[in-house]
Amino acid sequence: MHETASTFLEESEKKASDLGHRQTINFNIGKYNTAVKAGKLQFTDLQGARERAKNVKWRAIEHLDKHLEEFEMNITRRGAKVIWAETAEQVQQEILAICKAKSCKSIVKSKSMATEEVHLNSFLQSNGIECVETDLGEYIQQLDGEPPYHIVTPAMHKSKEDVARLFAEKLGTDPGLTPEQLTMVAREKLRQKYLEAEIGITGANFIIADTGSICVTENEGNARLSTAFPKTHIVLVGIEKVLPSITDLALFWPLLATYGTGQLVTAYNSIFSGPRQENEIDGPEEMYVILMDNGRTNILQDTVARESLYCIRCGSCLNACPVYKNIGGHTYGTTYSGPIGSVITPHLKDMGTYMHLSFASSLCGNCTEVCPVRINLHELLLHNRQKAVEENFTSGSEKLAWFGWKQGCLSRKMMNMASGKWKNILLRRFFAKSWGDNRDLPVFAPKSFNQMWKERNK
């Protein structure tokens, strides 16, 4: 077993037994479920909307090269600079080069999973550049030295008491502050950072091909502040985030809001189509858009797994997954957790190292049921499992065990050769550890049903 898989199993065991942790995330997911149920009422034909969204993303991904070139042409016309980056290292070096050219010492950054993917904060810090998270949840996680716990709600696993203690420890505040007071503390700290920063960095929820635009969705206004005050705006976005037309936003913004947070529409929806123009009085002087591959073309070339590129990062599959709700986000040890993370991570990184994530599923299909763009997530998990076997990433002992199981299942005579006693011994000997300490092993009857049936009908 790979070390990554072994660590995952150990952490899963700990988190599944942590009742306090489970209580916190299940409470927060319960509130989410209530909000989403109400939010869905805005659609007169929800299933039709989901089907149309899937078709739009299908067209976008099938013609990805053309849409990306169209996007580059249109946003470049308005003065933005587009950079293509194949790997995380290239992303880091391109951003560092921009920072050096601007003599940058301070950066404000809005919520972005793409920047988490390339570990941008730690990289910039190692180069003497301060990069401050401005989303409240991300700010909390940065103070605690932790990565985001969830795609949409980074600090979902923390209670208000946990946050109060963290602020008291890191910022010297009163440990008894209310959530409202804690928010005001964060606001006071961050407002000065906006004024000091030379560069603002954002991700993008969507990039629009026909207008050459970047779309950012948020609820706090921090992305607007991160792009309004600094003179330079850097956008880091995965190449799969493209939509063919700006008219598609009328469908995707409500879907993302409803499935992401249960809202009809998020509080702030911004469209950026380049740096400040001659007739405009505010905005950045320069804008860079970094189109990141970082393994996405690996998914693109797999005609089955390609469907996972439709994902709009709403996080609904995480909230629906019984595995995620028991082991939490950090246990996965990856940027993207939950069902979508289990599907894409082995392709983005390495199948041999991360194939265990595709097996960490009950295959109940709830993730597929709740996906706003109807990605067949549970089938893609099975596809990954099949690829892991075909590419010989499973161990020799596992292959031998399944070969023996197959031969036995194909032969009733072989199944009846061993008594119930020997079957129980084999089960305890070879499967007790994988079955787990918290479940009782099944017990074989002295005789099989087939044997008893034959005896009865002699």
Side-chain angles (χ1 to χ4, degrees):
M1 182 184 294
H2 194 279
E3 183 180 350
T4 306
S6 178
T7 302
F8 173 78
L9 291 175
E10 291 175 8
E11 291 299 317
S12 297
E13 191 77 21
K14 291 178 184 176
K15 283 298 180 184
S17 302
D18 187 343
L19 299 182
H21 168 263
R22 288 170 63 181
Q23 182 180 10
T24 299
I25 62 171
N26 279 281
F27 172 77
N28 288 327
I29 290 176
K31 292 174 65 178
Y32 161 87
N33 289 336
T34 301
V36 169
K37 186 177 180 180
K40 288 179 179 179
L41 298 177
Q42 71 172 307
F43 295 94
T44 54
D45 181 10
L46 179 59
Q47 297 311 313
R50 294 172 65 196
E51 192 64 39
R52 289 197 301 274
K54 182 170 187 173
N55 289 338
V56 170
K57 286 300 293 185
W58 173 80
R59 290 195 299 271
I61 297 302
E62 291 300 314
H63 303 283
L64 184 61
D65 53 342
K66 295 179 181 178
H67 290 309
L68 290 174
E69 289 176 355
E70 183 183 7
F71 164 79
E72 180 184 25
M73 178 183 66
N74 287 324
I75 199 169
T76 301
R77 283 176 180 169
R78 294 178 59 85
K81 300 176 180 67
V82 175
I83 299 169
W84 299 75
E86 290 188 18
T87 65
E89 291 73 23
Q90 286 183 17
V91 171
Q92 292 174 347
Q93 293 304 320
E94 291 289 354
I95 293 178
L96 181 61
I98 297 170
C99 291
K100 288 182 176 179
K102 309 300 177 187
S103 300
C104 175
K105 294 298 180 183
S106 178
I107 292 174
V108 284
K109 181 165 77 68
S110 71
K111 186 179 183 303
S112 164
M113 294 306 295
T115 58
E116 294 292 337
E117 191 178 326
V118 301
H119 307 292
L120 186 60
N121 288 3
S122 57
F123 172 77
L124 291 174
Q125 185 178 359
S126 67
N127 284 276
I129 302 170
E130 180 188 41
C131 188
V132 180
E133 297 286 354
T134 60
D135 174 86
L136 181 57
E138 291 278 7
Y139 180 66
I140 291 168
Q141 289 302 94
Q142 186 177 38
L143 282 179
D144 207 13
E146 289 184 339
Y149 178 91
H150 187 280
I151 291 174
V152 175
T153 48
M156 176 188 277
H157 62 306
K158 286 183 168 65
S159 65
K160 60 181 183 294
E161 291 80 14
D162 293 332
V163 177
R165 284 193 292 269
L166 175 66
F167 274 43
E169 178 186 343
K170 300 293 184 179
L171 304 177
T173 58
D174 185 338
L177 293 183
T178 65
E180 292 78 10
Q181 292 170 324
L182 293 168
T183 302
M184 294 304 295
V185 170
R187 177 179 294 179
E188 182 183 353
K189 297 287 184 182
L190 291 173
R191 284 300 165 97
Q192 187 59 35
K193 297 297 182 181
Y194 293 122
L195 299 174
E196 296 172 354
E198 294 91 357
I199 293 176
I201 297 179
T202 71
N205 297 95
F206 307 106
I207 55 178
I208 310 300
D210 67 350
T211 59
S213 303
I214 297 292
C215 304
V216 178
T217 297
E218 51 162 336
N219 276 311
E220 299 173 19
N222 57 296
R224 288 189 177 180
L225 291 171
S226 297
T227 56
F229 284 98
K231 293 183 178 181
T232 303
H233 176 198
I234 299 175
V235 181
L236 177 62
V237 58
I239 55 176
E240 83 284 7
K241 292 295 187 74
V242 69
L243 291 178
S245 172
I246 197 165
T247 59
D248 296 324
L249 290 176
L251 173 62
F252 280 87
W253 265 347
L255 278 175
L256 178 58
T258 293
Y259 281 86
T261 56
Q263 296 169 276
L264 300 182
V265 67
T266 43
Y268 300 93
N269 292 288
S270 305
I271 299 176
F272 305 98
S273 299
R276 184 174 69 221
Q277 304 298 297
E278 290 183 4
N279 60 341
E280 295 175 342
I281 61 173
D282 57 14
E285 295 176 1
E286 289 189 280
M287 182 176 180
Y288 297 85
V289 180
I290 301 177
L291 297 174
M292 178 174 67
D293 180 350
N294 201 31
R296 284 158 176 79
T297 48
N298 296 337
I299 302 176
L300 188 65
Q301 69 181 356
D302 187 322
T303 56
V304 177
R306 184 180 297 174
E307 187 179 346
S308 63
L309 294 177
Y310 303 170
C311 176
I312 60 175
R313 302 290 190 265
C314 68
S316 59
C317 63
L318 282 66
N319 299 328
C321 180
V323 175
Y324 183 91
K325 286 191 282 189
N326 280 279
I327 69 172
H330 288 153
T331 303
Y332 289 80
T334 62
T335 302
Y336 305 105
S337 55
I340 187 62
S342 297
V343 167
I344 65 176
T345 301
H347 297 276
L348 293 177
K349 294 190 175 183
D350 175 66
M351 182 65 73
T353 305
Y354 290 96
M355 68 174 184
H356 62 277
L357 296 178
S358 300
F359 292 85
S361 167
S362 63
L363 295 178
C364 65
N366 203 21
C367 50
T368 299
E369 179 65 27
V370 301
C371 177
V373 289
R374 302 192 63 193
I375 301 171
N376 293 308
L377 287 162
H378 68 291
E379 294 182 9
L380 296 183
L381 289 168
L382 283 173
H383 173 67
N384 281 3
R385 296 183 187 188
Q386 182 180 357
K387 283 185 69 70
V389 174
E390 289 175 349
E391 295 176 13
N392 295 315
F393 288 120
T394 51
S395 65
S397 59
E398 183 177 346
K399 291 177 183 175
L400 182 62
W402 283 114
F403 176 78
W405 179 271
K406 177 182 177 181
Q407 297 307 310
C409 288
L410 290 174
S411 171
R412 171 48 59 183
K413 184 177 180 181
M414 287 183 64
M415 290 289 286
N416 289 342
M417 283 178 61
S419 65
K421 177 182 178 181
W422 276 107
K423 289 175 183 176
N424 288 324
I425 291 173
L426 289 171
L427 199 64
R428 288 193 295 271
R429 174 67 179 82
F430 295 106
F431 294 96
K433 185 176 180 181
S434 58
W435 194 256
D437 297 331
N438 298 321
R439 294 184 292 176
D440 293 328
L441 283 167
V443 178
F444 284 95
K447 295 181 180 179
S448 70
F449 175 81
N450 176 263
Q451 289 172 316
M452 291 189 288
W453 182 266
K454 285 182 176 180
E455 292 175 1
R456 179 178 176 180
N457 292 281
K458 277 184 180 179

